[in-house]
Amino acid sequence: MFGRPPLEERIALHQRGRGPLKAGKYVEHRPAAMVFAFVLGFVVLTHIVALVILALG
């Protein structure tokens, strides 16, 4: 569109230029890893609190 290559080709070109992921590194995007850890921790904490409330109630 408008002289640009399709989106799939642009994504493929970008990924080729980045190179392989470093050994031992699972998430490249640090903010995404932090959000994932926060959400996971929040869900686990919420479940624990709910179980304690149910057990005491």
Side-chain angles (χ1 to χ4, degrees), residues 29-45:
H29 198 258
R30 185 68 178 161
M34 296 300 291
V35 169
F36 176 75
F38 173 76
V39 169
L40 188 63
F42 180 75
V43 168
V44 169
L45 183 65

Side-chain angles (χ1 to χ4, degrees), residues 44-57:
V44 169
L45 183 65
T46 304
H47 279 80
I48 291 172
V49 169
L51 287 173
V52 168
I53 290 173
L54 285 173
L56 296 177

Side-chain angles (χ1 to χ4, degrees), residues 8-33:
E8 294 85 3
E9 289 181 16
R10 287 185 280 157
I11 292 172
L13 181 64
H14 178 71
Q15 287 179 342
R16 265 185 262 131
R18 289 175 52 196
L21 190 62
K22 294 176 185 158
K25 196 169 183 186
Y26 298 104
V27 180
E28 281 187 276
H29 198 258
R30 185 68 178 161

